[in-house]
Amino acid sequence: MDKLKAFSDFFGKTFALWAALTALAAYAQPELFQWVKPLIPWLLGIVMFGMGLTLNPSDFKILGRHPKSVLVGVAAQFVIMPLTAFVLAKALGLPPQIAAGVILVGACPGGTASNVMTFLARGNVALSVAVTSVSTLLAPVLTPAVFYLLAHQWLDISAAAMLVSILEIVLLPIVLGVLANTFLHRQTQAAADVLPLVSVLAVALILGGVVAVSKDKIAEAGLLIFGVVVLHNCIGYLLGFFAAKLCGLPYDEQKTLSIEVGMQNSGLAATLALKYFDPVAAVPGAIFSVWHNVSGSLLASYWAAKADRAAAKK
């Protein structure tokens, strides 16, 4: 079992590599991944169920001890990233489907990879988990509402239908995971060892499916979308950090909220875009899924090295 856990952890820590390789393979041989498209909501549901399996009441104790930090993090998540996406879409004159895809990424909650990056960056892991969890639980209402508010000028959007989808593929699996962890804790502890591997496989397949059905559009606009994704992600890190700083939060929480705001549940964005819009709208989410793990790793490594230097001077 220890070898299986080590194998699973290795895949979890090297997710960006496997995601990139899968995306490249799907671009080169899209026919190998066409079968994934109808399974994408189920794959994301598996990832969310895994998230639920890792949650327990102690993860939310920080809400009582430091409610300000969690509130700032959740508010920044649903304000900074959607507005940044909107401004980029307007300023760069993005085509409607791409603009909608970028804004949808911004309107989604934080991604679970942020918890790992926060740990590596010597941030506040409890705060990271709490902000990710709370923003995800609020997503069924806030994601379609924010997305409709900012993107309806480009596309016809059914916020109600999107709410139902998020309830089905995000909230329900998380609730089932929490219940399983509560009432079948011994069994779920064994399953937890392989969660990183399962999550990596599921998200990589989602990326492969999105790239496979969007190859032609990626060939046309891939460089533009990549540039927008990099800007969106990096501005999120920067504004998340300064939002926490302006609110008087300590340095470890500034790092944490920078990562929380910059890293999105882009798998959810890609899934919703495929379901409701043209496949090209899913491309920003797919590219974001790869890129934010690369940039998050680099940022975490910088902060970890900085923390090590500070500790060595003491």
Side-chain angles (χ1 to χ4, degrees):
M1 186 60 75
D2 289 341
K3 288 184 179 180
L4 179 60
K5 185 178 187 304
F7 183 71
S8 179
D9 288 343
F10 168 75
F11 272 85
K13 292 174 182 177
T14 55
F15 168 76
L17 171 64
W18 305 113
L21 290 175
T22 304
L24 288 172
Y27 188 82
Q29 299 290 334
E31 64 277 3
L32 296 178
F33 292 87
Q34 295 284 350
W35 60 272
V36 176
K37 183 181 177 182
L39 299 178
I40 285 177
W42 292 96
L43 291 169
L44 184 62
I46 290 171
V47 175
M48 293 297 100
F49 179 76
M51 177 182 174
L53 286 179
T54 66
L55 295 178
N56 58 68
S58 64
D59 293 327
F60 297 92
K61 287 181 179 178
I62 193 171
L63 283 168
R65 296 196 303 267
H66 303 286
K68 177 183 175 181
S69 300
V70 179
L71 180 61
V72 170
V74 174
Q77 180 71 59
F78 284 110
V79 173
I80 290 174
M81 289 302 274
L83 287 180
T84 298
F86 179 80
V87 170
L88 288 173
K90 281 286 192 181
L92 298 175
L94 298 180
Q97 296 287 349
I98 296 175
V102 173
I103 292 172
L104 186 53
V105 170
C108 283
T112 53
S114 63
N115 308 151
V116 177
M117 299 307 171
T118 297
F119 171 77
L120 296 175
R122 314 290 201 272
N124 187 324
V125 177
L127 174 60
S128 176
V129 172
V131 172
T132 298
S133 302
V134 172
S135 66
T136 302
L137 293 174
L138 292 174
V141 174
L142 292 184
T143 293
V146 171
F147 179 63
Y148 178 83
L149 179 66
L150 297 178
H152 73 277
Q153 61 183 289
W154 281 288
L155 298 171
D156 289 330
I157 297 166
S158 174
M162 194 172 287
L163 183 151
V164 172
S165 291
I166 300 175
L167 286 173
E168 291 174 347
I169 63 179
V170 175
L171 192 60
L172 179 59
I174 288 177
V175 170
L176 291 175
V178 171
L179 291 174
N181 190 33
T182 302
F183 297 106
L184 300 169
H185 185 68
R186 185 179 301 174
Q187 293 86 338
T188 58
Q189 279 297 101
D193 290 343
V194 297
L195 281 179
L197 175 59
V198 172
S199 295
V200 167
L201 289 174
V203 176
L205 283 173
I206 290 172
L207 295 180
V210 171
V211 171
V213 300
S214 312
K215 178 180 177 177
D216 293 340
K217 297 293 186 179
I218 293 173
E220 292 176 16
L223 191 60
L224 170 64
I225 298 173
F226 180 75
V228 173
V229 163
V230 171
L231 282 173
H232 192 195
N233 173 237
C234 293
I235 291 171
Y237 289 142
L238 186 65
L239 295 184
F241 182 87
F242 282 109
K245 188 172 185 176
L246 286 172
C247 291
L249 302 185
Y251 186 61
D252 68 323
E253 295 185 4
Q254 293 171 23
K255 294 189 292 184
T256 300
L257 295 192
S258 171
I259 293 170
E260 277 300 310
V261 172
M263 299 188 74
Q264 299 293 91
N265 188 341
S266 42
L268 173 61
T271 302
L272 292 173
L274 272 183
K275 184 176 178 66
Y276 291 104
F277 310 114
D278 187 278
V280 71
V283 176
I287 294 177
F288 203 103
S289 290
V290 179
W291 169 253
H292 79 163
N293 281 282
V294 174
S295 63
S297 297
L298 293 173
L299 186 59
S301 297
Y302 164 75
W303 270 324
K306 186 176 180 180
D308 289 341
R309 288 195 300 269
K313 292 178 181 178
K314 292 183 180 179

